Amino acid sequence: DTGVSQNPRHKITKRGQNVTFRCDPISEHNRLYWYRQTLGQGPEFLTYFQNEAQLEKSRLLSDRFSAERPKGSFSTLEIQRTEQGDSAMYLCASSPIPFGWEGGPDGYTFGSGTRLTVV
Amino acid sequence: AQTVTQSQPEMSVQEAETVTLSCTYDTSESDYYLFWYKQPPSRQMILVIRQEAYKQQNATENRFSVNFQKAAKSFSLKISDSQLGDAAMYFCAYRDGNKLVFGAGTILRVKS
């Protein structure tokens, strides 16, 4: 297992186009998270899945954003009708259930991210 | 809502010396987890150290240690014997339920 894999690494798209990113988590991790990181800022939570169920969504996740994890393995994040403000690094992370508890794992494993540029 | 503040946008340290990165946070919880993450340029974010609020003892991982002041809601990271490979963006994070709340980050530059 090579960790959390994200594809593509970079995406340049024209405003108004749709884009889709993929995340492959560590295989034994039940939880998968999406974050957005704009330049010079820390990551901001977008949504997370436990297996195939999407359990929490941030208010940042507008109607143009949709995330899926159909079989509880890989996940996709789609942005419809992209806007210049969507330009950011989109990070995926995975963790076992639960992270941070006594005796549990040390938290998330992050992917390298997908950098989106909307022109 | 929980917030995390890193007041130092950028810090520099000479190789082999010690540097401290600051972080404050706001929460009404009594039990929680705090983390420091390192993000090298164009590389993935990795966990440096974590602290559980109910533990009095400050966490230590090799050259990295924290100064956790619960009453002051302060969580600073000390890097001893700084190395060139420590150069990166460092994020302080608070665990809020099932997600992490990050600060804006501190860029650490290491001078040889």
Side-chain angles (χ1 to χ4, degrees):
Chain A
D1 197 332
T2 57
V4 177
S5 175
Q6 290 190 248
N7 289 289
R9 290 294 305 274
H10 302 276
K11 178 73 176 178
I12 299 174
T13 191
K14 292 184 178 180
R15 189 174 53 180
Q17 297 293 307
N18 299 344
V19 294
T20 300
F21 312 138
R22 176 177 171 130
C23 172
D24 288 88
I26 292 174
S27 56
E28 60 266 28
H29 284 184
N30 302 91
R31 287 193 173 171
L32 185 149
Y33 311 81
W34 285 99
Y35 284 76
R36 181 175 71 184
Q37 184 179 13
T38 53
L39 200 61
Q41 297 298 315
E44 296 173 290
F45 172 78
L46 292 178
T47 188
Y48 93 92
F49 294 82
Q50 182 167 308
N51 300 314
E52 66 276 9
Q54 188 173 19
L55 297 186
E56 189 173 347
K57 292 195 294 186
S58 163
R59 288 171 294 176
L60 292 174
L61 214 64
S62 75
D63 292 345
R64 298 184 296 105
F65 288 70
S66 63
E68 294 182 341
R69 194 183 183 196
K71 297 183 179 179
S73 56
F74 73 91
S75 175
T76 58
L77 177 67
E78 181 185 15
I79 308 174
Q80 296 181 328
R81 305 181 302 282
T82 52
E83 302 172 357
Q84 286 188 322
D86 297 330
S87 295
M89 175 77 83
Y90 289 84
L91 295 173
C92 177
S94 67
S95 75
I97 301 175
F99 84 90
W101 293 81
E102 185 66 40
D106 286 332
Y108 291 179
T109 299
F110 280 91
S112 297
T114 293
R115 181 167 295 284
L116 173 67
T117 302
V118 181
V119 297
Chain B
Q2 283 77 6
T3 58
V4 177
T5 302
Q6 293 180 250
S7 58
Q8 305 155 316
E10 188 172 328
M11 293 284 285
S12 292
V13 63
Q14 200 70 33
E15 201 175 1
E17 297 193 343
T18 297
V19 65
T20 299
L21 309 184
S22 301
C23 172
T24 59
Y25 59 93
D26 186 27
T27 183
S28 57
E29 302 293 325
S30 58
D31 190 19
Y32 46 88
Y33 291 84
L34 295 164
F35 304 85
W36 278 97
Y37 280 89
K38 171 185 177 182
Q39 188 177 42
S42 301
R43 296 183 63 185
Q44 69 189 101
M45 196 171 309
I46 57 173
L47 178 69
V48 175
I49 198 166
R50 75 166 184 173
Q51 175 77 42
E52 294 149 77
Y54 68 88
K55 289 188 175 179
Q56 303 274 352
Q57 190 172 8
N58 288 326
T60 299
E61 289 287 342
N62 300 315
R63 299 182 294 107
F64 299 87
S65 61
V66 300
N67 183 3
F68 173 49
Q69 301 288 329
K70 191 173 183 179
K73 297 180 181 175
S74 170
F75 182 60
S76 61
L77 174 70
K78 185 171 85 171
I79 305 174
S80 304
D81 186 26
S82 297
Q83 300 175 0
L84 294 176
D86 295 333
M89 178 76 96
Y90 286 81
F91 292 100
C92 177
Y94 171 97
R95 180 190 166 188
D96 178 13
N98 294 300
K99 60 183 180 284
L100 293 172
V101 177
F102 288 88
T106 298
I107 297 171
L108 178 65
R109 304 194 191 280
V110 181
K111 301 175 184 177
S112 59

